[in-house]
Amino acid sequence: MTSGSDSPADVEFPRVDLPDLEARVAAEERQRDLTKPAGSLGRLEELGCWVAACQGEVPPHPFRRPRVVVFAGDHGVARNGVSAYPPEVTAQMVANLSAGGAAVNVLAAAAGAGVRVVDMAVESDTSPEVSEFKIRRSSGSIDREDALTHDETVRAIEAGRALADREVDEGADLLVAGDMGIGNTTPATVLIAILTSTEPVAAVGRGTGVDDAGWMRKVTAIRDAMWRARPHVRNPVALLRTAGGADFAAMAGFLAQAAVRRTPVILDGVVVTAAAMVAEELAPGAARWWVSGHRSAEPAHTVALRHLRLEPIVDLGMRLGEGSGAVTALPVLQGAVAILAQMATFSEAGVSTRDESAPATAD
């Protein structure tokens, strides 16, 4: 497969604005006036302030239309025994997602979120409603060839941007990116290890549950892919072309464009966070619009979160993907908003503050 141009000039994102600082300060002031000891609700307080800054209003309003977009794609490296499941499972799971039978469908419904699945590079045919943006059948085996051509990479990034725009234009006020693809933790680990200078053996997890022999094959594939990708570490488009895939490129475009559109995002696990690291390279400052939903059991995910300076909302040992960890955290984020918006202040409740109830002292 030819590598094509290494120039990223044909992929440009506008400057990313920061969340509203004045709203953040006002939210912090309101937190101090709520009927509780300062800091007693821990991260719920910080999360509520983050939402207020993203929305630019205090108090913030509950998320009215949270949306999950699951990006599906097969990866040639899966044919090398790096996964416990065969590649045909991807298309089967895409059908399951479309029918509402996957874990993310159930969790999203419980949290009040809608789900869309898009086929970016599934090896098999999928239904027309999910294959509108399809780039190709499977990405290349990144341990020995590029995942995509340059043109395919650009098209996939633009598809992700278009999907973010579509969701926001249709009223989405919170976005979640999910993933579906057998073998996709292998390119995810390559991207994370390359961007953080981490040795493969320190970053490689069990993915879908490979045995020791599968783990060793996975380490070898990741080491070889890192060797191929290392010259492109400072070029996010070339990095996605070499070591990512159409699903990763689309997720990166989606996450970057969400920030451009001033729309908050809950990140999912290792695959989505790997794409997020590249999105931050494409659109510096985008990470200020993201929170991490959960900590995956994959070791590379902790490495990626540390790189992005994100702390997960929940840590339940999950490693499914699909956006499942992010939507599990959504009710917590909604609770943080409700606290800031609905909890009474000291004056409203007629409750004395600590200073008002402290005994007077003599001069």
Side-chain angles (χ1 to χ4, degrees):
M1 183 177 294
T2 58
S3 62
S5 169
D6 260 6
S7 172
D10 44 1
V11 178
E12 295 184 4
F13 285 84
R15 181 178 63 86
V16 174
D17 294 327
L18 295 178
D20 192 318
L21 179 58
E22 291 185 4
R24 173 103 195 190
V25 171
E28 291 170 349
E29 291 176 353
R30 179 173 171 82
Q31 285 283 10
R32 288 191 290 270
D33 197 30
L34 298 179
T35 48
K36 58 179 174 56
S40 59
L41 286 178
R43 279 201 71 204
L44 285 179
E45 299 183 18
E46 189 277 328
L47 290 169
C49 293
W50 174 76
V51 174
C54 291
Q55 294 180 353
E57 60 183 66
V58 180
H61 60 77
F63 294 111
R64 302 183 180 106
R65 195 173 187 271
R67 292 284 292 171
V68 182
V69 179
V70 182
F71 294 85
D74 279 309
H75 296 268
V77 73
R79 294 190 291 269
N80 302 333
V82 300
S83 175
Y85 289 84
E88 56 263 28
V89 169
T90 302
Q92 295 164 358
M93 281 302 301
V94 166
N96 189 32
L97 282 156
S98 297
V104 71
N105 299 109
V106 176
L107 291 167
V115 178
R116 180 198 301 265
V117 59
V118 292
D119 170 6
M120 298 305 305
V122 177
E123 179 68 34
S124 308
D125 289 330
T126 56
S127 61
E129 62 266 23
V130 303
S131 58
E132 175 186 355
F133 293 96
K134 187 164 185 165
I135 299 298
R136 55 180 285 167
R137 293 176 179 268
S138 185
S139 297
S141 186
I142 59 173
D143 56 334
R144 60 194 69 178
E145 62 182 343
D146 285 356
L148 306 166
T149 66
H150 178 76
D151 177 67
E152 288 169 341
T153 308
V154 172
R155 285 167 50 212
I157 293 171
E158 293 301 328
R161 294 176 75 165
L163 282 160
D165 283 336
R166 177 180 295 182
E167 293 293 347
V168 174
D169 290 344
E170 290 177 357
D173 55 357
L174 176 75
L175 294 174
V176 171
D179 65 275
M180 172 48 61
I182 299 303
N184 63 8
T185 60
T186 297
T189 304
V190 173
L191 293 172
I192 292 168
I194 277 285
L195 289 170
T196 62
S197 301
T198 301
E199 290 296 320
V201 292
V204 177
R206 298 283 173 171
T208 50
V210 293
D211 57 17
D212 289 346
W215 184 86
M216 292 175 66
R217 289 191 294 270
K218 189 172 181 178
V219 170
T220 300
I222 288 170
R223 180 201 63 203
D224 292 347
M226 288 179 66
W227 181 83
R228 297 188 66 259
R230 190 164 285 114
H232 310 296
V233 67
R234 298 187 184 279
N235 185 325
V237 176
L239 190 58
L240 288 166
R241 183 200 77 219
T242 308
D247 47 351
F248 283 85
M251 282 187 283
F254 179 84
L255 295 168
Q257 187 65 11
V260 170
R261 295 295 303 269
R262 303 180 61 87
T263 303
V265 172
I266 307 179
L267 298 180
D268 193 45
V270 66
V271 174
V272 172
T273 309
M277 289 176 62
V278 184
E280 173 66 15
E281 298 293 318
L282 288 169
R288 302 291 286 273
W289 292 89
W290 309 332
V291 290
S292 170
H294 81 123
R295 186 190 307 277
S296 169
E298 286 287 306
H301 192 219
T302 294
V303 175
L305 291 176
R306 188 181 307 122
H307 178 83
L308 291 172
R309 299 180 181 179
L310 295 174
E311 185 68 24
I313 295 174
V314 299
D315 189 347
L316 301 176
M318 299 171 69
R319 55 180 174 85
L320 176 62
E322 302 178 4
S324 57
V327 292
T328 297
L330 175 54
V332 178
L333 195 60
Q334 291 279 38
V337 172
I339 286 290
L340 190 54
Q342 300 173 24
M343 191 171 177
T345 65
F346 283 106
S347 59
E348 290 168 346
V351 176
S352 298
T353 65
R354 182 175 58 182
D355 290 342
E356 291 170 339
S357 60
T361 57
D363 291 335

